């Protein structure tokens, strides 16, 4: 037993240092992505739609670090504009879905009884339909654009938040301070607004952050299928979709760089969300430190 304790402490320090590096790298990637989408478009003052057929499918160079696409547009600028659209869709859709899911889950748990049963059966019914299929149905009713995609993602992603908030509210209802408030004459709505909803805000915020990568991937999938944003508008899904023919011809850069812009920021956001989850859940954090 005496020989194993130092080894446990060493493994714990190694895991903590690895987690610190992971969080630092994720924070740097997210900060770089946010700064790029905020600063590059107003500072560069270049038209990302400008076509120059004489520069068609040029490989990466000093003039074009990411190369050019099949009509001569600068791929780095297109990737930054596409990332800006994808982040806009992801953040707005995640916020809308989180608000809807928090309200529905909190009301279902607070009211209880038949209201809770009906609401959760509706949630189960919507959850039985694949998200992408339901999203395609939503965007098909509108013209391609940013807001139909946001509505599609928000409609399909509030269900998990509703379940999380409901279970958390049910847990909070058994706390002594809630029983004391009810015994003191507080109404159900007052208890919900003053004690239950504030108690689930950390979990709801975490759900919103975790939803952003899912929303970005959802938007990219819809745009890749030609059902999201217009084909001329820069988005990561559109860039990957338009690069398929170039990849078959051996031109790898129109596919690689948009793919990296899609994968790296979403993984970084998910990494920061995982660190937040460990912080707000001490038991899980202590388990991971063993």
């Amino acid at each position: 037993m005496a020989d194993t304790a130092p080894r446990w402490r060493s493994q714990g320090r190694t895991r903590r240092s690895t987690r610190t590096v992971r969080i630092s790298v994720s924070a740097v990637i997210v900060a770089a992505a946010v700064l790029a989408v905020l600063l590059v478009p107003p500072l560069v003052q270049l038209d990302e739609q400008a076509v120059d057929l004489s520069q068609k499918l040029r490989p990466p160079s000093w003039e074009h670090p990411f190369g050019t696409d099949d009509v001569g547009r600068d791929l780095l600028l297109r990737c930054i504009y596409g990332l800006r659209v994808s982040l806009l869709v992801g953040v707005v859709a995640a916020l809308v879905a989180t608000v809807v899911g928090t309200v529905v889950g909190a009301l279902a748990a607070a009211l209880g009884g038949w209201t809770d049963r009906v609401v959760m059966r509706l949630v189960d019914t919507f959850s039985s339909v694949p998200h992408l299929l339901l999203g395609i149905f939503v965007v098909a009713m509108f013209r391609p654009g940013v807001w139909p995609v946001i509505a599609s993602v928000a409609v399909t992603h509030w269900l998990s938040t509703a379940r999380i908030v409901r279970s958390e509210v049910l847990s909070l209802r058994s706390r002594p301070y809630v029983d004391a408030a009810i015994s003191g004459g507080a109404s159900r709505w007052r208890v919900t607004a003053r004690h239950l909803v504030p108690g689930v805000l950390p979990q709801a915020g975490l759900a919103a952050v975790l939803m952003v990568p899912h929303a970005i991937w959802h938007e990219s999938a819809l745009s890749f299928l030609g059902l999201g944003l217009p084909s001329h508008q820069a988005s990561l899904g559109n860039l990957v979709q338009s690069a398929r023919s170039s990849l078959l011809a051996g031109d790898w850069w129109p596919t690689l760089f948009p793919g990296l812009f899609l994968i790296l920021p979403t993984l970084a956001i998910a990494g920061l969300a995982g660190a937040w989850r460990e912080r707000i859940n001490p038991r899980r954090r202590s388990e991971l430190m063993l």
Side-chain angles (χ1 to χ4, degrees):
M1 292 298 292
D3 294 337
T4 59
R7 188 179 303 114
W8 288 350
R9 288 195 294 269
S10 177
Q11 291 175 354
R13 286 193 296 269
T14 301
R15 292 183 181 181
R16 284 194 295 269
S17 61
T18 303
R19 185 168 61 252
T20 301
V21 172
R22 185 180 70 244
I23 294 173
S24 301
V25 172
S26 299
V28 169
I29 293 175
V30 172
V34 173
L35 290 176
V37 300
L38 291 179
L39 298 180
V40 170
L43 292 179
V44 174
Q45 295 294 327
L46 293 177
D47 184 10
E48 50 91 17
Q49 298 283 3
V51 175
D52 185 1
L53 294 179
S54 64
Q55 299 291 324
K56 176 182 177 181
L57 289 176
R58 293 295 179 90
S61 62
W62 286 110
E63 183 180 2
H64 301 287
F66 285 6
T68 60
D69 63 7
D70 55 351
V71 292
R73 294 173 294 194
D74 184 78
L75 197 57
L76 174 58
L77 194 60
R78 296 273 293 171
C79 286
I80 293 175
Y81 273 87
L83 180 61
R84 183 175 68 168
V85 172
S86 296
L87 285 178
L88 172 65
V89 172
V91 172
V92 175
L95 290 177
V96 173
T98 301
V99 171
V100 173
T102 300
V103 172
V104 172
L107 289 179
L111 296 177
W114 65 270
T115 303
D116 184 26
R117 291 192 293 271
V118 169
V119 170
M120 296 315 298
R121 294 296 78 76
L122 290 175
V123 170
D124 293 338
T125 301
F126 279 105
S127 298
S128 64
V129 181
H131 285 177
L132 185 59
L133 181 61
L134 185 58
I136 292 174
F137 174 77
V138 173
V139 298
M141 297 187 296
F142 304 95
R143 290 183 177 181
V146 173
W147 295 109
V149 175
I150 290 176
S152 169
V153 176
V155 166
T156 56
H157 285 72
W158 64 271
L159 306 170
S160 59
T161 304
R163 285 199 181 96
I164 293 172
V165 171
R166 174 182 176 269
S167 63
E168 190 69 16
V169 170
L170 290 176
S171 175
L172 292 174
R173 285 176 57 182
S174 61
R175 302 292 175 84
Y177 64 88
V178 175
D179 293 336
I182 296 175
S183 301
S187 64
R188 180 177 296 179
W189 292 106
R190 183 175 179 82
V191 170
T192 301
R194 293 290 301 273
H195 301 289
L196 299 183
V197 172
V200 301
L201 288 181
Q203 294 291 341
L206 175 61
V209 176
L210 286 171
M211 205 179 300
V212 172
H214 290 277
I216 293 175
W217 280 95
H218 196 98
E219 178 273 324
S220 299
L222 291 175
S223 297
F224 182 83
L225 294 174
L227 298 171
L229 301 178
S231 58
H232 68 274
Q233 186 172 359
S235 75
L236 297 178
N238 281 340
L239 293 178
V240 174
Q241 195 276 339
S242 62
R244 290 186 302 168
S245 59
S246 302
L247 183 63
L248 294 176
D251 300 322
W252 50 269
W253 57 92
T255 303
L256 174 64
F257 293 113
L260 292 178
F261 266 65
L262 177 61
I263 294 173
L264 293 181
T266 52
L267 290 180
I269 295 172
L272 293 179
W276 185 7
R277 178 172 54 193
E278 295 171 16
R279 181 173 293 276
I280 68 175
N281 193 333
R283 181 176 179 180
R284 177 176 175 81
R285 182 178 59 184
S286 62
E287 292 173 354
L288 293 175
M289 300 229 345
L290 290 177

